[in-house]
Short mmCIF file of all heavy atoms in Angstrom, two decimals:
data_model
loop_
_atom_site.label_atom_id
_atom_site.label_comp_id
_atom_site.label_asym_id
_atom_site.label_seq_id
_atom_site.Cartn_x
_atom_site.Cartn_y
_atom_site.Cartn_z
N ALA L 664 -8.61 56.26 -45.68
CA ALA L 664 -8.86 56.83 -44.36
C ALA L 664 -8.54 55.84 -43.26
O ALA L 664 -8.07 56.21 -42.18
CB ALA L 664 -10.32 57.27 -44.24
N MET L 665 -8.77 54.56 -43.52
CA MET L 665 -8.50 53.52 -42.53
C MET L 665 -7.08 52.99 -42.61
O MET L 665 -6.72 52.05 -41.89
CB MET L 665 -9.50 52.37 -42.71
CG MET L 665 -10.94 52.75 -42.41
SD MET L 665 -11.21 53.26 -40.68
CE MET L 665 -11.24 55.05 -40.82
N GLY L 666 -6.24 53.55 -43.49
CA GLY L 666 -4.83 53.17 -43.53
C GLY L 666 -4.46 52.15 -44.57
O GLY L 666 -3.34 51.64 -44.57
N ASN L 667 -5.38 51.82 -45.48
CA ASN L 667 -5.07 50.89 -46.56
C ASN L 667 -4.39 51.60 -47.71
O ASN L 667 -4.56 52.81 -47.89
CB ASN L 667 -6.35 50.22 -47.07
CG ASN L 667 -7.10 49.49 -45.99
OD1 ASN L 667 -6.72 48.40 -45.59
ND2 ASN L 667 -8.19 50.08 -45.50
N SER L 668 -3.67 50.88 -48.53
CA SER L 668 -3.29 51.36 -49.85
C SER L 668 -4.18 50.64 -50.85
O SER L 668 -4.80 49.61 -50.53
CB SER L 668 -1.82 51.08 -50.14
OG SER L 668 -1.49 49.73 -49.90
N CYS L 669 -4.31 51.17 -52.06
CA CYS L 669 -5.32 50.62 -52.95
C CYS L 669 -4.88 50.68 -54.41
O CYS L 669 -4.05 51.50 -54.82
CB CYS L 669 -6.66 51.30 -52.76
SG CYS L 669 -6.65 53.09 -52.90
N VAL L 670 -5.48 49.78 -55.20
CA VAL L 670 -5.36 49.76 -56.65
C VAL L 670 -6.78 49.91 -57.19
O VAL L 670 -7.63 49.06 -56.95
CB VAL L 670 -4.74 48.45 -57.15
CG1 VAL L 670 -4.69 48.43 -58.67
CG2 VAL L 670 -3.35 48.26 -56.56
N LEU L 671 -7.03 51.02 -57.87
CA LEU L 671 -8.38 51.36 -58.31
C LEU L 671 -8.49 51.29 -59.83
O LEU L 671 -7.62 51.81 -60.53
CB LEU L 671 -8.75 52.77 -57.83
CG LEU L 671 -8.63 53.03 -56.32
CD1 LEU L 671 -8.96 54.49 -56.02
CD2 LEU L 671 -9.54 52.10 -55.53
N VAL L 672 -9.55 50.65 -60.27
CA VAL L 672 -9.87 50.64 -61.70
C VAL L 672 -11.09 51.53 -61.86
O VAL L 672 -12.19 51.19 -61.41
CB VAL L 672 -10.18 49.21 -62.19
CG1 VAL L 672 -10.50 49.23 -63.68
CG2 VAL L 672 -9.00 48.29 -61.91
N PRO L 673 -10.94 52.72 -62.49
CA PRO L 673 -12.06 53.67 -62.58
C PRO L 673 -13.16 53.17 -63.50
O PRO L 673 -13.04 52.12 -64.16
CB PRO L 673 -11.41 54.93 -63.14
CG PRO L 673 -9.94 54.72 -63.09
CD PRO L 673 -9.72 53.24 -63.11
N SER L 674 -14.23 53.95 -63.54
CA SER L 674 -15.31 53.70 -64.49
C SER L 674 -14.72 53.48 -65.87
O SER L 674 -13.87 54.24 -66.33
CB SER L 674 -16.26 54.90 -64.51
OG SER L 674 -17.06 54.88 -65.68
N GLN L 675 -15.15 52.42 -66.56
CA GLN L 675 -14.58 52.19 -67.89
C GLN L 675 -15.28 53.01 -68.96
O GLN L 675 -14.71 53.25 -70.02
CB GLN L 675 -14.63 50.71 -68.25
CG GLN L 675 -16.00 50.08 -68.36
CD GLN L 675 -15.91 48.59 -68.67
OE1 GLN L 675 -14.94 47.92 -68.33
NE2 GLN L 675 -16.92 48.07 -69.34
N SER L 676 -16.49 53.51 -68.66
CA SER L 676 -17.18 54.34 -69.65
C SER L 676 -16.84 55.81 -69.51
O SER L 676 -16.93 56.57 -70.48
CB SER L 676 -18.71 54.15 -69.53
OG SER L 676 -19.15 54.53 -68.24
N ALA L 677 -16.44 56.23 -68.31
CA ALA L 677 -16.12 57.65 -68.07
C ALA L 677 -14.92 57.75 -67.13
O ALA L 677 -15.05 58.18 -65.99
CB ALA L 677 -17.34 58.37 -67.50
N PRO L 678 -13.73 57.35 -67.59
CA PRO L 678 -12.57 57.27 -66.69
C PRO L 678 -11.82 58.58 -66.48
O PRO L 678 -10.97 58.65 -65.60
CB PRO L 678 -11.67 56.26 -67.40
CG PRO L 678 -11.97 56.48 -68.86
CD PRO L 678 -13.43 56.84 -68.94
N LEU L 679 -12.12 59.61 -67.28
CA LEU L 679 -11.26 60.80 -67.24
C LEU L 679 -11.39 61.59 -65.94
O LEU L 679 -10.45 62.30 -65.55
CB LEU L 679 -11.55 61.68 -68.44
CG LEU L 679 -11.19 61.07 -69.81
CD1 LEU L 679 -11.59 62.00 -70.94
CD2 LEU L 679 -9.70 60.76 -69.89
N SER L 680 -12.54 61.48 -65.26
CA SER L 680 -12.67 62.15 -63.97
C SER L 680 -11.65 61.59 -62.98
O SER L 680 -11.05 62.33 -62.19
CB SER L 680 -14.08 61.97 -63.41
OG SER L 680 -15.03 62.58 -64.23
N ALA L 681 -11.44 60.27 -63.03
CA ALA L 681 -10.49 59.65 -62.12
C ALA L 681 -9.05 59.98 -62.51
O ALA L 681 -8.21 60.22 -61.64
CB ALA L 681 -10.70 58.14 -62.10
N THR L 682 -8.75 59.99 -63.82
CA THR L 682 -7.38 60.30 -64.21
C THR L 682 -7.06 61.78 -63.97
O THR L 682 -5.91 62.12 -63.68
CB THR L 682 -7.13 59.93 -65.68
OG1 THR L 682 -8.07 60.62 -66.52
CG2 THR L 682 -7.27 58.43 -65.89
N ASP L 683 -8.06 62.63 -64.06
CA ASP L 683 -7.84 64.03 -63.66
C ASP L 683 -7.54 64.13 -62.17
O ASP L 683 -6.80 65.00 -61.73
CB ASP L 683 -9.09 64.88 -63.96
CG ASP L 683 -9.29 65.13 -65.45
OD1 ASP L 683 -8.38 64.83 -66.24
OD2 ASP L 683 -10.39 65.61 -65.82
N PHE L 684 -8.11 63.20 -61.40
CA PHE L 684 -8.01 63.29 -59.95
C PHE L 684 -6.59 63.03 -59.46
O PHE L 684 -6.23 63.46 -58.36
CB PHE L 684 -8.98 62.29 -59.29
CG PHE L 684 -9.23 62.56 -57.84
CD1 PHE L 684 -10.16 63.50 -57.43
CD2 PHE L 684 -8.52 61.88 -56.85
CE1 PHE L 684 -10.38 63.75 -56.09
CE2 PHE L 684 -8.73 62.12 -55.51
CZ PHE L 684 -9.67 63.06 -55.13
N TYR L 685 -5.75 62.36 -60.27
CA TYR L 685 -4.42 62.14 -59.72
C TYR L 685 -3.63 63.43 -59.61
O TYR L 685 -2.64 63.50 -58.87
CB TYR L 685 -3.65 61.04 -60.44
CG TYR L 685 -3.39 61.13 -61.92
CD1 TYR L 685 -2.71 62.20 -62.50
CD2 TYR L 685 -3.75 60.06 -62.74
CE1 TYR L 685 -2.43 62.22 -63.85
CE2 TYR L 685 -3.46 60.07 -64.11
CZ TYR L 685 -2.80 61.16 -64.66
OH TYR L 685 -2.52 61.17 -65.99
N GLN L 686 -4.07 64.48 -60.26
CA GLN L 686 -3.47 65.80 -60.03
C GLN L 686 -3.84 66.33 -58.64
O GLN L 686 -3.05 67.00 -57.98
CB GLN L 686 -3.91 66.76 -61.12
CG GLN L 686 -3.45 66.33 -62.51
CD GLN L 686 -4.14 67.10 -63.62
OE1 GLN L 686 -4.67 68.18 -63.39
NE2 GLN L 686 -4.14 66.56 -64.82
N VAL L 687 -5.04 66.00 -58.20
CA VAL L 687 -5.44 66.34 -56.83
C VAL L 687 -4.58 65.56 -55.83
O VAL L 687 -4.12 66.11 -54.82
CB VAL L 687 -6.94 66.05 -56.61
CG1 VAL L 687 -7.32 66.22 -55.15
CG2 VAL L 687 -7.79 66.95 -57.49
N LEU L 688 -4.34 64.29 -56.12
CA LEU L 688 -3.52 63.48 -55.23
C LEU L 688 -2.10 64.05 -55.13
O LEU L 688 -1.52 64.11 -54.04
CB LEU L 688 -3.46 62.03 -55.73
CG LEU L 688 -4.80 61.28 -55.85
CD1 LEU L 688 -4.57 59.90 -56.44
CD2 LEU L 688 -5.48 61.17 -54.49
N ASP L 689 -1.56 64.47 -56.27
CA ASP L 689 -0.19 64.99 -56.28
C ASP L 689 -0.03 66.26 -55.46
O ASP L 689 1.06 66.54 -54.95
CB ASP L 689 0.24 65.28 -57.73
CG ASP L 689 0.58 64.03 -58.51
OD1 ASP L 689 0.88 63.00 -57.88
OD2 ASP L 689 0.54 64.07 -59.76
N THR L 690 -1.09 67.03 -55.33
CA THR L 690 -1.00 68.31 -54.61
C THR L 690 -1.54 68.23 -53.19
O THR L 690 -1.72 69.26 -52.55
CB THR L 690 -1.77 69.39 -55.40
OG1 THR L 690 -3.14 68.97 -55.58
CG2 THR L 690 -1.13 69.65 -56.75
N SER L 691 -1.78 67.01 -52.70
CA SER L 691 -2.38 66.85 -51.37
C SER L 691 -1.49 66.12 -50.38
O SER L 691 -1.97 65.65 -49.35
CB SER L 691 -3.73 66.12 -51.49
OG SER L 691 -4.63 66.83 -52.31
N ASP L 692 -0.20 65.99 -50.70
CA ASP L 692 0.78 65.37 -49.79
C ASP L 692 0.53 63.89 -49.56
O ASP L 692 1.00 63.33 -48.56
CB ASP L 692 0.81 66.09 -48.43
CG ASP L 692 1.32 67.52 -48.54
OD1 ASP L 692 2.00 67.82 -49.55
OD2 ASP L 692 1.05 68.31 -47.63
N LEU L 693 -0.18 63.22 -50.45
CA LEU L 693 -0.40 61.79 -50.30
C LEU L 693 0.86 61.05 -50.72
O LEU L 693 1.36 61.25 -51.83
CB LEU L 693 -1.59 61.33 -51.15
CG LEU L 693 -1.98 59.85 -50.99
CD1 LEU L 693 -2.66 59.63 -49.66
CD2 LEU L 693 -2.90 59.41 -52.14
N PRO L 694 1.39 60.17 -49.88
CA PRO L 694 2.59 59.42 -50.28
C PRO L 694 2.34 58.58 -51.53
O PRO L 694 1.25 58.03 -51.74
CB PRO L 694 2.87 58.53 -49.06
CG PRO L 694 2.21 59.21 -47.91
CD PRO L 694 0.99 59.87 -48.48
N GLY L 695 3.37 58.48 -52.37
CA GLY L 695 3.25 57.69 -53.59
C GLY L 695 2.95 56.23 -53.29
O GLY L 695 3.51 55.64 -52.36
N GLY L 696 2.06 55.64 -54.06
CA GLY L 696 1.71 54.24 -53.91
C GLY L 696 0.50 53.98 -53.05
O GLY L 696 -0.03 52.86 -53.08
N VAL L 697 0.04 54.97 -52.29
CA VAL L 697 -1.14 54.76 -51.47
C VAL L 697 -2.37 54.58 -52.36
O VAL L 697 -3.22 53.73 -52.12
CB VAL L 697 -1.35 55.91 -50.47
CG1 VAL L 697 -2.67 55.76 -49.72
CG2 VAL L 697 -0.18 55.98 -49.49
N VAL L 698 -2.46 55.40 -53.41
CA VAL L 698 -3.53 55.26 -54.39
C VAL L 698 -2.88 55.03 -55.75
O VAL L 698 -2.03 55.81 -56.19
CB VAL L 698 -4.43 56.51 -54.44
CG1 VAL L 698 -5.44 56.39 -55.59
CG2 VAL L 698 -5.15 56.70 -53.12
N ASN L 699 -3.29 53.95 -56.41
CA ASN L 699 -2.80 53.61 -57.74
C ASN L 699 -4.00 53.45 -58.66
O ASN L 699 -5.02 52.87 -58.25
CB ASN L 699 -1.99 52.32 -57.70
CG ASN L 699 -0.83 52.41 -56.71
OD1 ASN L 699 0.24 52.89 -57.04
ND2 ASN L 699 -1.06 51.95 -55.48
N ILE L 700 -3.90 53.97 -59.88
CA ILE L 700 -5.04 53.99 -60.80
C ILE L 700 -4.64 53.29 -62.09
O ILE L 700 -3.67 53.69 -62.75
CB ILE L 700 -5.49 55.43 -61.09
CG1 ILE L 700 -5.86 56.14 -59.78
CG2 ILE L 700 -6.66 55.44 -62.06
CD1 ILE L 700 -6.09 57.64 -59.94
N VAL L 701 -5.38 52.24 -62.43
CA VAL L 701 -5.15 51.50 -63.67
C VAL L 701 -6.43 51.54 -64.48
O VAL L 701 -7.46 51.00 -64.05
CB VAL L 701 -4.74 50.04 -63.40
CG1 VAL L 701 -4.52 49.30 -64.72
CG2 VAL L 701 -3.47 49.99 -62.55
N THR L 702 -6.41 52.20 -65.61
CA THR L 702 -7.60 52.31 -66.46
C THR L 702 -7.67 51.13 -67.42
O THR L 702 -6.67 50.49 -67.73
CB THR L 702 -7.58 53.63 -67.24
OG1 THR L 702 -6.32 53.74 -67.93
CG2 THR L 702 -7.75 54.82 -66.34
N GLY L 703 -8.87 50.88 -67.89
CA GLY L 703 -9.06 49.80 -68.85
C GLY L 703 -10.38 49.10 -68.64
O GLY L 703 -11.21 49.51 -67.83
N ALA L 704 -10.58 48.01 -69.37
CA ALA L 704 -11.83 47.25 -69.31
C ALA L 704 -11.91 46.46 -68.01
O ALA L 704 -10.98 45.72 -67.66
CB ALA L 704 -11.92 46.31 -70.51
N HIS L 705 -13.01 46.61 -67.30
CA HIS L 705 -13.19 45.87 -66.05
C HIS L 705 -13.09 44.37 -66.26
O HIS L 705 -12.53 43.65 -65.43
CB HIS L 705 -14.54 46.23 -65.43
CG HIS L 705 -14.59 47.62 -64.88
ND1 HIS L 705 -15.65 48.08 -64.11
CD2 HIS L 705 -13.72 48.66 -64.95
CE1 HIS L 705 -15.43 49.34 -63.76
NE2 HIS L 705 -14.27 49.71 -64.27
N GLN L 706 -13.64 43.89 -67.36
CA GLN L 706 -13.64 42.46 -67.65
C GLN L 706 -12.21 41.92 -67.74
O GLN L 706 -11.93 40.80 -67.32
CB GLN L 706 -14.37 42.20 -68.98
CG GLN L 706 -14.52 40.73 -69.35
CD GLN L 706 -15.52 40.00 -68.47
OE1 GLN L 706 -16.61 40.50 -68.21
NE2 GLN L 706 -15.16 38.82 -68.01
N GLU L 707 -11.29 42.72 -68.25
CA GLU L 707 -9.91 42.28 -68.42
C GLU L 707 -9.10 42.41 -67.14
O GLU L 707 -8.21 41.61 -66.88
CB GLU L 707 -9.24 43.10 -69.53
CG GLU L 707 -9.91 42.97 -70.89
CD GLU L 707 -9.86 41.53 -71.40
OE1 GLU L 707 -8.83 40.86 -71.20
OE2 GLU L 707 -10.86 41.08 -71.99
N LEU L 708 -9.38 43.43 -66.35
CA LEU L 708 -8.54 43.73 -65.19
C LEU L 708 -9.02 43.07 -63.91
O LEU L 708 -8.25 42.92 -62.96
CB LEU L 708 -8.47 45.24 -64.99
CG LEU L 708 -7.82 46.03 -66.13
CD1 LEU L 708 -7.89 47.53 -65.86
CD2 LEU L 708 -6.37 45.60 -66.34
N ALA L 709 -10.28 42.67 -63.87
CA ALA L 709 -10.84 42.11 -62.63
C ALA L 709 -10.15 40.80 -62.24
O ALA L 709 -9.84 40.57 -61.07
CB ALA L 709 -12.33 41.88 -62.78
N LYS L 710 -9.89 39.94 -63.21
CA LYS L 710 -9.32 38.63 -62.88
C LYS L 710 -7.92 38.74 -62.30
O LYS L 710 -7.65 38.16 -61.22
CB LYS L 710 -9.33 37.73 -64.11
CG LYS L 710 -8.89 36.31 -63.81
CD LYS L 710 -9.12 35.38 -65.00
CE LYS L 710 -8.75 33.95 -64.65
NZ LYS L 710 -9.02 33.02 -65.78
N PRO L 711 -6.97 39.44 -62.93
CA PRO L 711 -5.65 39.54 -62.29
C PRO L 711 -5.67 40.29 -60.96
O PRO L 711 -4.86 40.00 -60.08
CB PRO L 711 -4.80 40.28 -63.33
CG PRO L 711 -5.76 40.95 -64.24
CD PRO L 711 -6.97 40.07 -64.26
N LEU L 712 -6.60 41.22 -60.80
CA LEU L 712 -6.70 41.95 -59.54
C LEU L 712 -7.24 41.04 -58.44
O LEU L 712 -6.68 40.97 -57.34
CB LEU L 712 -7.59 43.17 -59.72
CG LEU L 712 -7.68 44.15 -58.54
CD1 LEU L 712 -6.30 44.70 -58.20
CD2 LEU L 712 -8.65 45.28 -58.86
N ALA L 713 -8.33 40.32 -58.72
CA ALA L 713 -8.94 39.46 -57.71
C ALA L 713 -8.07 38.25 -57.40
O ALA L 713 -8.09 37.74 -56.28
CB ALA L 713 -10.32 39.01 -58.17
N GLY L 714 -7.31 37.79 -58.38
CA GLY L 714 -6.49 36.60 -58.17
C GLY L 714 -5.11 36.88 -57.62
O GLY L 714 -4.39 35.95 -57.25
N HIS L 715 -4.71 38.15 -57.54
CA HIS L 715 -3.36 38.48 -57.09
C HIS L 715 -3.18 38.09 -55.63
O HIS L 715 -3.95 38.50 -54.76
CB HIS L 715 -3.09 39.98 -57.27
CG HIS L 715 -1.65 40.33 -57.30
ND1 HIS L 715 -0.80 40.12 -56.24
CD2 HIS L 715 -0.87 40.89 -58.29
CE1 HIS L 715 0.42 40.53 -56.54
NE2 HIS L 715 0.41 41.00 -57.78
N LEU L 716 -2.14 37.31 -55.35
CA LEU L 716 -1.96 36.78 -54.00
C LEU L 716 -1.47 37.82 -53.01
O LEU L 716 -1.48 37.58 -51.79
CB LEU L 716 -0.99 35.59 -54.03
CG LEU L 716 -1.47 34.37 -54.81
CD1 LEU L 716 -0.44 33.26 -54.74
CD2 LEU L 716 -2.83 33.88 -54.33
#
Side-chain angles (χ1 to χ4, degrees):
M665 294 297 101
N667 302 284
S668 52
C669 54
V670 177
L671 305 177
V672 181
S674 163
Q675 63 182 28
S676 60
L679 295 177
S680 297
T682 58
D683 288 349
F684 196 83
Y685 58 58
Q686 298 167 20
V687 172
L688 300 177
D689 284 338
T690 57
S691 300
D692 294 340
L693 184 73
V697 174
V698 174
N699 304 275
I700 302 170
V701 179
T702 52
H705 288 189
Q706 184 71 46
E707 300 298 321
L708 297 176
K710 186 171 183 178
L712 187 60
H715 200 298
L716 296 181

